[in-house]
Amino acid sequence: MKTLIFSGLFLLVGMYRLSAQNVATGELDLESFVEERFSFQEEDIAYEDLYESLLQVHLNPLDLQEATAEQLRSLYILSPFQLASFLDYRNTFGPLISVYELQAIPGWTLETIENILPFIRQDVYSGNQKMPGFKRFQAAENAYLIFRNRRVWQTRKGFTPADTLSNGQLSSRYLGGPDDLYVRFRLQQPGDFSIGLTAEKDAGEQFIWDKKTKRYGFDFLSFHFMLFDKGPWKTLALGDYQLQFGQGLVFGSGFSVGKGAETIATVRRSSLGLRPYTSVLESGFFRGAAATYKTGNLELTGLFSLAPRSANLQVIPDSLEASESYLSSLISSGLHRTKNEIEKKGQAREQNFGLNLQYRNSDKGIQLGTNFLHSRYSQEVFPLKRIYNQFEFRGKSNYTGSIYFSYNFANHYFFAESAISKSRGMGHVFGIMSSLNRSLDLSLVWRKFDRNFHSFYGNAFSEGSRPINEEGLYLGLNFKPNRKINWSAYYDYFTFPWLRFRMYAPSSGNEWLSRFTYRPHKKLMSFIQWREETKSRNLVSEEQSSNHYQLATGKRRNFVWSLSYQPNQWWQFKTRVQQSSFQINGQKTRGFAILQDLSANLGNWKFSGRLSLFDTDDFENRQFLYERNVLWAFSIPNLYGQGYRYYLLGQYKLNQRITFWLRWAKTTYTNRESIGTGLQEIAGNEITETTFQVRYQFNR
């Protein structure tokens, strides 16, 4: 009886506090969620995968009554203490009566609840899964069709008439029109099924039906059909899919951000298993069939994939009037605009066979698993030999296997994975996330990847974009003494035992970040962030003073100050100042950007806009500016030189089924007469782009 009274009092207090503070409804503000939690500084982050992974969870929210610790960790929102508190609360008091009850959980703040609401649901799916398939499709919760068009209005060189070269041939030009086209159809019922079709044509690509060049209207087509929880079969998949198990040494697709302003939760990877692939990246996914079978605490996943890959195909004629071919490189850009690019489309076939066996005991907080993936190409892969790539993969087939584990003890979470590839190169990741008390969280990660460790689908925590030729130690801290103040910081030391691109000697470096956030109340939030990275690189040719390559240490510094103010539910203002510097070989360059945002939510109409000014000495100081865009699209331009940029974004909800978006953005440079290089060059100092999108929702 005392327990019931205690729970009831907590619930009443939580409902009062949340209702008094106008808790969010669970609508996903992707821009705010991503920008406040993660720090984008590099171009090699797969932004499409980040958005798609967040979207997958948003459209298939976790059931609060049954969500596992692993699923909740994958949101990168909860600290070890907050996660342990939630699980203890649910075990003690049973199913949650209302989302308002979340306020009663020790350590859960209003900010925590606002962040997690878009990714959870309190009620389980109540539909009748025994209904005939067609009726179940008609009753699907997520059923929509999206069409998007994006265009740059200035004429790039690739769209101009071809020139006649000195040999009498015509110069290369784009064969298609300047419009980006995107179509997505999705029919999904959480916990039951998912059907999806994604089609895309990039600017410069032809909209053409040509079987010979493997183009069928849109240049890229992706389809998936998945079933969930059908007896012992946890997941059944046909079409395009991705897998994520362990710490990403073998299967590492999905939402993996790495180092950023969120210094604790993002250091580990989650074993999310088999999921549909819905991005437009034309590599990094499997195409075929896969399934997960579950019995008790054991899960077995098997996959088979046969997918085309774009590649540079080289033909070697021999004396017997026959020829052999090999692949000099695999191409992941997904662009097929010119005759030369089209010739590379689908030149290779990649076959994959993989297995995962996983044991999970939620009561004891233990997870054990093993991965295996065998990949085979239709031709031998022989990259052009360079001084830095002597240990890269060469051959026709590769296999990678690993074992991994995780263990949760109170507020401490341990995780690790070790892998080996066919070359006998190895990769290791060991880490811990810990809540030392309610205010202080700590993360520690050590990783080591041999120079000959080959993992085609690996995406482990690392300094580089791939887990190869690296060793490092990362320490992250997060201190939150009260609900108003938060300080997060990390320090990462890394070494590269072998040569790398633009780094022709073994080297080492380090990186640190510190962010101080002040949120006195819900309407106002401000943060100051410092970041510094020290890393070596080759001196340019005119600076070399000997007959061998010399390295110099480059130091990059970034500073950001941001202020967000939302006086009411209709208006929001944001001001930001960014400054950077880069120093190498005695020379120092600088750059800065200032921006002002204004957003309005006026019922069926939503507007947002920005004016930004930038001035940088060179490309090293380019400024990355995260911008709002149409639904489930991203825009993170990097600006360098001198000039200003502004955009306007409007959204109109015509009715319960149809919503329109229109975005207009323009960048004007004051110190140049052309923009871009090669076929992307624009004659002039302005670039204007528009994006139009319409969404039709079937079940509204």
Side-chain angles (χ1 to χ4, degrees):
M1 180 63 69
K2 290 182 179 180
T3 300
L4 292 175
I5 295 175
F6 179 75
S7 177
L9 289 175
F10 262 81
L11 176 59
L12 290 174
V13 172
M15 291 177 63
Y16 171 76
R17 293 182 63 184
L18 284 174
S19 59
Q21 299 181 64
N22 298 318
V23 68
T25 61
E27 181 179 353
L28 178 60
D29 186 349
L30 190 59
E31 186 260 355
S32 295
F33 180 85
V34 171
E35 189 178 21
E36 291 180 11
R37 299 187 64 79
F38 310 113
S39 175
F40 293 113
Q41 302 289 348
E42 304 294 342
E43 291 185 296
D44 57 2
I45 295 176
Y47 300 110
E48 294 92 343
D49 274 352
L50 165 61
Y51 274 57
E52 289 297 331
S53 299
L54 288 171
L55 176 60
Q56 290 295 328
V57 184
H58 178 58
L59 295 180
N60 192 17
L62 302 178
D63 173 21
L64 272 182
Q65 318 299 1
E66 299 181 357
T68 65
E70 184 73 5
Q71 290 174 322
L72 291 169
R73 286 191 193 97
S74 70
L75 301 177
Y76 300 129
I77 294 174
L78 302 178
S79 69
F81 174 75
Q82 290 173 326
L83 178 59
S85 295
F86 172 79
L87 296 176
D88 289 343
Y89 185 91
R90 191 176 63 180
N91 291 335
T92 302
F93 300 113
L96 278 70
I97 302 174
S98 166
V99 293
Y100 293 107
E101 196 175 350
L102 295 175
Q103 183 69 17
I105 300 174
W108 281 51
T109 64
L110 178 62
E111 182 181 0
T112 303
I113 299 172
E114 289 177 346
N115 284 330
I116 205 171
L117 278 180
F119 305 106
I120 61 173
R121 58 188 297 161
Q122 178 198 349
D123 57 320
V124 298
Y125 172 50
S126 58
N128 185 0
Q129 296 193 16
K130 296 182 180 180
M131 293 171 57
F134 183 73
K135 291 185 177 181
R136 284 161 62 190
F137 294 158
Q138 287 183 315
E141 289 186 13
N142 299 315
Y144 60 86
L145 177 67
I146 285 179
F147 171 77
R148 181 188 306 155
N149 173 278
R150 177 184 175 272
R151 179 166 183 167
V152 172
W153 290 94
Q154 285 75 16
T155 302
R156 299 188 186 275
K157 185 177 180 180
F159 298 107
T160 62
D163 301 321
T164 302
L165 303 176
S166 58
N167 59 5
Q169 296 182 349
L170 295 178
S171 58
S172 178
R173 290 293 186 268
Y174 297 149
L175 301 179
D179 293 284
D180 283 298
L181 301 178
Y182 172 90
V183 174
R184 164 183 278 178
F185 169 76
R186 191 73 182 270
L187 199 63
Q188 180 190 39
Q189 181 58 58
D192 188 7
F193 66 86
S194 176
I195 301 173
L197 174 66
T198 304
E200 183 204 37
K201 182 197 85 70
D202 293 305
E205 294 177 339
Q206 291 176 294
F207 193 88
I208 187 174
W209 191 278
D210 186 0
K211 294 183 179 180
K212 183 179 179 181
T213 57
K214 304 174 182 64
R215 292 178 294 168
Y216 307 97
F218 290 90
D219 182 76
F220 177 70
L221 295 171
S222 176
F223 170 80
H224 77 265
F225 174 67
M226 300 191 74
L227 296 175
F228 305 98
D229 298 326
K230 305 305 176 188
W233 296 98
K234 182 179 179 181
T235 313
L236 296 166
L238 289 174
D240 295 347
Y241 56 90
Q242 55 188 350
L243 292 94
Q244 186 169 334
F245 288 107
Q247 294 309 305
L249 289 179
V250 180
F251 298 116
S253 59
F255 182 21
S256 302
V257 177
K259 294 181 289 186
E262 168 52 57
T263 59
I264 306 298
T266 57
V267 301
R268 65 173 295 276
R269 305 293 184 252
S270 298
S271 292
L272 299 177
L274 182 58
R275 299 190 303 160
Y277 181 79
T278 57
S279 180
V280 293
L281 296 176
E282 299 186 26
S283 61
F285 63 91
F286 299 104
R287 175 169 291 177
T292 299
Y293 183 86
K294 183 176 182 179
T295 175
N297 292 330
L298 282 175
E299 293 181 4
L300 175 64
T301 299
L303 74 92
F304 176 79
S305 169
L306 184 62
R309 300 296 185 215
S310 294
N312 280 308
L313 182 67
Q314 307 295 330
V315 179
I316 308 175
D318 63 20
S319 59
L320 300 178
E321 297 184 357
S323 61
E324 295 182 355
S325 62
Y326 69 94
L327 306 175
S328 60
S329 65
L330 298 170
I331 301 171
S332 59
S333 67
L335 298 174
H336 306 105
R337 304 160 298 182
T338 65
K339 182 180 178 181
N340 185 46
E341 290 177 346
I342 293 172
E343 290 175 350
K344 300 173 183 178
K345 182 178 173 66
Q347 287 294 330
R349 304 288 291 181
E350 183 188 81
Q351 177 181 293
N352 284 283
F353 169 77
L355 291 170
N356 168 267
L357 179 62
Q358 181 172 266
Y359 170 82
R360 179 182 297 164
N361 189 322
S362 300
D363 294 335
K364 296 183 178 180
I366 297 176
Q367 179 179 270
L368 300 171
T370 180
N371 295 311
F372 176 80
L373 179 65
H374 182 273
S375 302
R376 184 178 180 85
Y377 290 100
S378 52
Q379 296 95 359
E380 301 277 351
V381 178
F382 286 114
L384 182 63
K385 287 189 176 181
R386 303 290 188 186
I387 189 173
Y388 59 86
N389 71 353
Q390 298 179 37
F391 296 94
E392 290 285 352
F393 170 76
R394 286 177 171 82
K396 199 170 184 177
S397 67
N398 179 58
Y399 58 77
T400 312
S402 75
I403 56 173
Y404 63 90
F405 89 95
S406 64
Y407 176 63
N408 189 80
F409 174 73
N411 299 331
H412 313 287
Y413 182 76
F414 304 87
F415 55 91
E417 183 175 13
S418 290
I420 186 170
S421 62
K422 183 180 179 181
S423 62
R424 297 187 180 181
M426 301 189 70
H428 310 280
V429 176
F430 295 91
I432 179 175
M433 298 190 315
S434 177
S435 288
L436 303 181
N437 54 52
R438 292 195 178 190
S439 301
L440 182 62
D441 300 318
L442 173 146
S443 62
L444 187 67
V445 180
W446 173 79
R447 75 272 187 188
K448 184 179 186 298
F449 314 122
D450 291 344
R451 59 188 181 181
N452 61 335
F453 175 64
H454 304 140
S455 178
F456 300 155
Y457 291 86
N459 187 19
F461 182 90
S462 63
E463 167 64 18
S465 58
R466 299 181 299 143
I468 186 172
N469 184 34
E470 178 181 329
E471 183 174 359
L473 182 64
Y474 170 98
L475 172 65
L477 295 170
N478 189 83
F479 180 60
K480 192 176 181 67
N482 53 55
R483 66 177 184 85
K484 297 181 179 181
I485 297 174
N486 188 79
W487 173 68
S488 60
Y490 73 75
Y491 177 81
D492 187 37
Y493 177 79
F494 45 84
T495 63
F496 305 115
W498 184 246
L499 286 59
R500 290 162 51 94
F501 177 66
R502 297 181 64 187
M503 197 181 299
Y504 291 173
S507 62
S508 63
N510 63 82
E511 179 183 353
W512 61 265
L513 178 144
S514 177
R515 176 185 280 199
F516 179 83
T517 303
Y518 179 61
R519 190 173 184 176
H521 48 77
K522 184 181 178 182
K523 297 180 179 179
L524 182 67
M525 192 274 287
S526 178
F527 72 80
I528 298 176
Q529 177 177 294
W530 296 268
R531 175 179 177 265
E532 181 177 297
E533 181 188 53
T534 302
K535 191 184 295 185
S536 299
R537 67 167 59 172
N538 295 339
L539 289 174
V540 295
S541 57
E542 56 267 23
E543 295 175 339
Q544 297 286 349
S545 59
S546 64
N547 58 1
H548 63 275
Y549 283 98
Q550 291 182 308
L551 270 61
T553 300
K555 181 171 291 187
R556 189 186 310 277
R557 294 186 175 96
N558 298 89
F559 168 81
V560 180
W561 172 77
S562 178
L563 176 68
S564 300
Y565 178 60
Q566 187 173 359
N568 51 51
Q569 59 181 324
W570 300 289
W571 300 94
Q572 183 181 33
F573 305 89
K574 182 180 294 183
T575 303
R576 173 169 291 191
V577 178
Q578 298 185 180
Q579 186 272 336
S580 68
S581 67
F582 181 74
Q583 184 175 354
I584 189 171
N585 201 28
Q587 298 181 353
K588 188 174 185 178
T589 55
R590 295 179 173 84
F592 76 88
I594 302 174
L595 61 89
Q596 179 62 55
D597 286 357
L598 173 63
S599 303
N601 188 343
L602 307 175
N604 291 337
W605 288 92
K606 293 182 180 180
F607 299 97
S608 62
R610 167 182 293 176
L611 172 62
S612 55
L613 308 175
F614 59 92
D615 186 353
T616 70
D617 294 336
D618 54 15
F619 184 74
E620 296 290 352
N621 288 281
R622 59 196 184 278
Q623 302 295 307
F624 293 88
L625 305 179
Y626 188 103
E627 297 179 346
R628 290 181 182 267
N629 208 325
V630 301
L631 184 67
W632 303 331
F634 75 96
S635 178
I636 311 177
N638 61 86
L639 304 173
Y640 64 96
Q642 297 175 354
Y644 54 93
R645 176 179 171 86
Y646 48 96
Y647 76 85
L648 294 172
L649 172 64
Q651 174 185 336
Y652 175 61
K653 189 174 183 179
L654 179 64
N655 52 46
Q656 291 297 316
R657 294 180 181 268
I658 301 176
T659 306
F660 296 96
W661 289 263
L662 181 61
R663 186 177 189 269
W664 180 81
K666 183 175 183 179
T667 305
T668 301
Y669 295 90
T670 59
N671 67 333
R672 65 176 69 174
E673 297 180 356
S674 65
I675 303 171
T677 59
L679 297 183
Q680 288 291 91
E681 182 180 357
I682 294 174
N685 68 332
E686 295 181 342
I687 179 169
T688 306
E689 63 181 74
T690 58
T691 305
F692 168 77
Q693 178 170 292
V694 58
R695 178 183 63 176
Y696 181 83
Q697 295 177 280
F698 295 94
N699 299 328
R700 288 288 174 174

